[in-house]
């Protein structure tokens, strides 16, 4: 079974990803609504859209960081640029999201070209600082001088007196796709005690995310992708063989910038707002976190990392005293209080602490992220089976997720 | 002219803070070869040492004062801080008034311990890992420290006052022969600058004139040889990490009257301090100090109205702009040695 220029294994892999993505509204809703597990359900549109959007962001970042090893600390700038582009298209043309998304990709590509051209003259920590400096400059400017373009602290939004020249009287009054559906449209499906929300906005982002994933898969398997990996492994050697690596790294930087712009555009497609806080350097740090946590340089890793962080951001910040008391009610009172006091450090408002700890643990013990962890466990099981068969399995083959 | 001098002075206190943090960052990078993204968090912890002492000083109990009455005619209930009842009213009030400078006495041991624990517990294992890993793990640590502080002290900035003797402003212009009120400069900022100067000279003198400092400098130049000579260079480097943490901590303590400490001040300063280190030259101590003051002063000049009307927004981006220019034209930084991290 070969499709779209992929090998057998990759086709299966892609199909699995497509299946999982399309079934997400069901898979993330494993508990009946009335049950205590309902708070662990993640099958509501807002969160699922964020999975898909940050998945795209992380996939793009991974093309730069995972393949070439260049650690950018300024990718949130492109996210912000993408959001602003989409909202401007709303204001000027109308609520159709497509022109905005196209503009978001183009504008972020231009910014990435400029910033990448300058920043890639240096590598290592200097590259990180340069990208950070550019992103901070853009963030500061968005708050101050560029207020006419960005609406400063209020954030850019659509007002009733905006021109919206392409908007006809019959057009929808919220972000929509060629007037076919609104992003906020959704149908509820009730099966027994379960309730599933099928949202137009989610499927829209999911389709884009699948395309984004497919492109990254092709890049990983292409000679271009190999070249990027070679740059990560030994750039000096490449230079000595007479290869100029700059065009390759620049291309990777621009591609990842476009992914980030697209993700930012989609954020504004879901919620027609754009604010400068999206460009802050902590947002850049977050995407680094996602990629590292999932596994840099792997295909699935960034998506897993993005989903993991967004899921736990949502769940952990929802856990409050009431929930904790409910959970630990079976314990003796003294112990219960001790445990709840300790839990306070990690849940609710201070879930970032958990995130920071997790991040440290991953960097220290599992530099390959969740994917590597999964592979290690799989390898251990496989190793045991091989021993049972009294065969000496060769070194485990790299799986498709690599 | 007076406007220029005023901006020069305004740049000094911010520049002092940049210089102190950058000095610690450079010290750590020069000795251990580690890029420490948690250094801003150390600055913040220092600032919160001052907040802690303020809370301790503020602990009080209620006492009925029979000599006074409130508006209803009943005996007045007054709050008496414990320190005043323990050490007598005069000395207690003095302690409360001078709490920020006194916090240094608390901050130094706290920061030394934090520094040692951090170095032995975490950084030690990252000597040989790539810089990217070092950045990432210390970034994670910074998040953890920041969230812990947020947990205990809340998200809002906490005001801490300078001693009342320094609360006003100094008419600096009169000293230089300008009109009165032309150059007003808060006393505490002057104190901060002098304090920073003392700390910086102290660190340089320590490195230059003590045997310990000499060994450290030798280790910075050639770690292996120093080790082969039978000197336990690792332990000295750990001590230097503690020293760098203490410098960042006291810088944070003294900065509290200028900027009310909040949990994310560390991150805010960290980004700028890194830029400072890069501009000064990775691994160059004089470079870090010079670049700290230079960028602080440049930033305050850029926020003059005349310059802002000429180039809008320049005050927001000047530091980053300078950093980009320096990195592209002279990657080793202003005073960096050739060959250190040039790529």
């Amino acid at each position: 079974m070969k499709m779209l220029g992929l090998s057998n294994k990759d086709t299966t892999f892609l199909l699995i990803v497509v299946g999982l993505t399309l079934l997400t509204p069901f898979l993330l809703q494993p508990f009946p609504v009335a049950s205590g597990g309902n708070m662990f359900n993640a099958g509501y549109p807002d969160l699922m859209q964020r999975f898909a959007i940050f998945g795209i962001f992380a996939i793009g970042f991974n093309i730069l960081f995972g393949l070439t090893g260049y650690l950018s600390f300024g990718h949130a700038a492109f996210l912000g640029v993408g959001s602003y582009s989409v909202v401007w298209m709303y204001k000027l043309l109308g609520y159709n999201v497509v022109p905005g998304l196209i503009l978001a990709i183009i504008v972020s590509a231009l910014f990435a070209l400029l910033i990448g051209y300058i920043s890639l003259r240096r590598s290592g920590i200097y590259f990180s600082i340069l990208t950070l400096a550019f992103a901070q400059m853009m963030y500061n400017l968005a708050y101050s001088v560029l207020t006419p373009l960005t609406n400063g602290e209020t954030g850019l939004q659509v007002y009733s007196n905006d021109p919206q020249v392409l908007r006809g009287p019959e057009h929808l009054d919220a972000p929509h796709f060629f007037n076919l559906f609104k992003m906020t449209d959704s149908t509820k499906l009730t099966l027994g005690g379960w309730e599933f929300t099928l949202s137009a906005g989610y499927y829209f982002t999911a389709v884009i995310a699948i395309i984004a994933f497919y492109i990254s898969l092709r890049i990983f398997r292409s000679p271009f992708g190999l070249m990027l990996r070679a740059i990560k492994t030994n750039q000096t050697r490449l230079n000595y063989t007479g290869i100029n690596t700059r065009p390759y790294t620049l291309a990777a930087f621009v591609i990842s910038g476009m992914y980030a712009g697209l993700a930012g555009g989609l954020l504004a497609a879901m919620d027609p707002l754009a604010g400068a806080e999206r460009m802050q350097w902590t947002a850049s740090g977050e995407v680094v976190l996602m990629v590292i946590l999932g596994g840099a340089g792997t295909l699935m890793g960034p998506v897993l990392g993005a989903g993991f962080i967004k899921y736990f951001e949502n769940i952990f910040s929802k856990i409050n005293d009431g929930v904790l008391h409910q959970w630990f009610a079976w314990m003796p009172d003294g112990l219960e209080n001790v445990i709840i006091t300790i839990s306070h450090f990690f849940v609710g408002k201070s879930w970032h602490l958990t995130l920071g700890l997790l991040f440290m643990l991953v960097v220290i013990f599992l530099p390959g992220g969740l994917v590597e962890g999964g592979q290690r466990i799989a390898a251990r099981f496989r190793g045991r089976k091989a021993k049972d068969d009294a065969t000496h399995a060769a070194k485990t083959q790299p799986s498709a997720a690599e | 002219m007076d406007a220029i001098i005023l901006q020069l002075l305004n740049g000094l206190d911010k520049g002092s803070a940049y210089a102190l943090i950058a000095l610690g960052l450079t010290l750590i990078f020069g000795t251990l070869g580690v890029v420490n993204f948690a250094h801003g968090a150390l600055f913040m912890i220092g600032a919160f040492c001052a907040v802690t002492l303020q809370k301790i000083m503020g602990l009080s109990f209620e006492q009925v004062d029979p000599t006074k009455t409130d508006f209803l005619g009943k005996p007045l209930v007054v709050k008496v801080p414990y320190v005043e009842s323990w050490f007598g009213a005069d000395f207690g009030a003095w302690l409360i008034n001078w709490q920020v400078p006194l916090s240094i006495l608390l901050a130094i041991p706290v920061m030394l311990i934090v520094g040692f624990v951090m170095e032995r517990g975490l950084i030690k294992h990252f000597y040989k890992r790539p810089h990217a890993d070092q950045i990432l793990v210390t970034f994670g640590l910074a998040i953890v420290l920041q969230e812990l502080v947020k947990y205990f002290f809340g998200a809002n900035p906490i005001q801490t006052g300078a001693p009342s003797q320094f609360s006003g402003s100094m008419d600096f212009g009169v000293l230089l022969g300008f009109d009165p009120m032309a150059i007003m400069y808060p006393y505490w900022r002057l104190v901060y600058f002098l304090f920073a100067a003392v700390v910086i000279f102290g660190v340089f003198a320590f490195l230059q004139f003590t045997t310990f400092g000499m060994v450290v400098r030798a280790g910075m130049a050639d770690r292996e040889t120093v080790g082969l000579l039978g000197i336990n260079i690792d332990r000295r480097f750990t001590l230097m990490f503690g020293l760098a943490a203490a410098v960042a901590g006291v810088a944070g303590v003294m900065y509290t009257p200028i900027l009310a400490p909040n949990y994310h001040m560390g991150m805010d300063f960290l980004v700028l301090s890194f830029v400072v280190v890069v501009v000064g030259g990775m691994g160059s101590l004089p470079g870090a100090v010079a670049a700290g003051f230079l960028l602080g002063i440049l930033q305050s000049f850029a926020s003059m109205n005349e310059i802002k009307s000429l180039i809008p927004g320049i005050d927001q981006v000047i530091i980053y702009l300078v950093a980009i220019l320096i990195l592209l034209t002279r990657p080793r930084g202003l005073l960096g040695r050739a060959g250190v991290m040039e790529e």
Side-chain angles (χ1 to χ4, degrees), chain A residues 65 69-71 73 118-119 121-130 132-134 136-138 140-141 143-145 235 280-282 285-286 288-289 292 341 344-346 349-353 355-365 367, chain B residues 29 35 37 122 125-126 129 131-148 150-152 267-268 270-271 274-275 278 281-282 312-317 320-321 323-324 327-333 340-343:
Chain A
F65 175 57
Y70 277 79
L71 175 61
F73 249 87
I118 298 174
S119 307
R121 288 157 167 264
R122 301 274 158 252
S123 62
I125 179 179
Y126 286 139
F127 172 79
S128 306
I129 301 269
L130 273 174
L132 180 61
F134 274 111
Q136 284 298 99
M137 264 169 67
M138 287 167 70
N140 287 342
L141 288 178
Y143 260 132
S144 54
V145 197
Q235 188 161 10
Q280 214 178 358
W281 77 287
T282 42
E286 199 183 37
V288 180
L289 232 82
I292 297 279
T341 315
H344 270 170
F345 280 107
F346 301 104
K349 281 181 195 153
S350 45
W351 90 276
H352 269 110
L353 180 71
L355 189 68
L357 273 179
L358 195 70
F359 190 60
M360 285 172 67
L361 292 177
V362 167
V363 178
I364 295 171
F365 297 111
Chain B
F29 182 78
V35 182
F37 254 54
L122 183 72
H125 307 288
F126 278 79
R129 302 266 293 260
H131 285 309
D133 280 6
Q134 298 169 351
I135 292 177
L136 293 170
V137 82
T138 47
F139 179 59
L141 180 68
I143 296 177
V144 170
L145 292 175
Q146 164 173 335
E147 289 300 312
L148 278 176
K150 185 177 160 195
Y151 181 82
F152 285 111
M267 288 288 190
D268 302 344
L270 175 83
V271 177
F274 250 104
V275 171
V278 169
M282 212 74 189
I314 187 72
D315 55 323
Q316 304 286 330
V317 299
Y320 303 108
L321 220 52
I324 290 166
L327 274 185
L328 292 178
T329 52
R330 193 181 156 86
R332 71 169 94 144
V340 179
M341 292 275 297
E342 276 213 56
E343 225 339 91

Side-chain angles (χ1 to χ4, degrees), chain B residues 50-271:
Chain B
V51 174
T52 312
L53 196 72
Q54 169 170 282
K55 296 228 157 158
I56 295 173
M57 296 281 192
L59 288 178
S60 54
F61 59 93
E62 289 184 345
Q63 199 181 38
V64 179
D65 188 343
T67 58
K68 290 178 193 157
T69 53
D70 62 7
F71 63 98
L72 288 175
K74 291 178 189 154
L76 184 71
V77 177
V78 287
K79 283 193 167 178
V80 183
Y82 281 107
V83 279
E84 284 193 15
S85 75
W86 290 343
F87 300 114
D90 286 347
F91 188 58
W94 184 86
L95 280 177
I96 291 174
N97 186 24
W98 285 82
Q99 54 184 332
V100 170
L102 286 173
S103 306
I104 291 177
L105 298 178
L106 172 70
I108 289 176
V110 168
M111 296 314 295
L112 283 175
I113 292 169
V114 169
F116 291 150
V117 171
M118 218 171 119
E119 208 281 323
R120 286 291 95 184
L122 183 72
I123 307 285
K124 183 178 83 173
H125 307 288
F126 278 79
Y127 291 166
K128 297 261 151 56
R129 302 266 293 260
H131 285 309
D133 280 6
Q134 298 169 351
I135 292 177
L136 293 170
V137 82
T138 47
F139 179 59
L141 180 68
I143 296 177
V144 170
L145 292 175
Q146 164 173 335
E147 289 300 312
L148 278 176
V149 165
K150 185 177 160 195
Y151 181 82
F152 285 111
F153 294 94
N156 294 325
I158 301 164
Q159 288 287 346
T160 47
S164 54
Q165 286 85 339
F166 296 113
S167 59
S169 286
M170 179 186 179
D171 200 342
F172 204 81
V174 176
L175 294 181
L176 299 173
F178 290 104
D179 297 335
M181 305 297 285
I183 304 175
M184 295 299 283
Y185 195 59
Y187 280 113
W188 188 258
R189 296 187 177 221
L190 200 64
V191 171
Y192 193 79
F193 170 65
L194 295 175
F195 169 77
V198 169
V199 171
I200 290 167
F201 279 113
V203 170
F204 276 97
F206 177 70
L207 285 175
Q208 206 65 40
F209 301 122
T210 63
T211 320
F212 187 97
M214 192 182 72
V215 173
V216 168
R217 277 186 295 129
M220 282 167 87
D222 188 346
R223 181 185 190 140
E224 203 181 347
T225 308
V226 176
L228 288 175
L229 290 171
I231 294 168
N232 187 349
I233 192 72
D234 278 1
R235 200 172 67 207
R236 288 187 164 74
F237 280 178
T238 307
L239 282 171
M240 290 315 287
F241 192 97
L243 180 71
V247 168
V250 294
V253 167
M254 295 294 274
Y255 208 66
T256 50
I258 301 177
L259 176 82
N262 54 20
Y263 72 99
H264 54 76
M265 68 189 286
M267 288 288 190
D268 302 344
F269 270 87
L270 175 83
V271 177

Side-chain angles (χ1 to χ4, degrees), chain A residues 35 50 57 62-63 102 107 132 157 169 293 316 339 398 401:
Chain A
S35 75
R50 260 183 288 154
F57 191 15
N62 189 40
I63 292 175
I102 293 170
V107 174
L132 180 61
Q157 48 191 305
L293 184 66
F316 267 62
I339 293 219

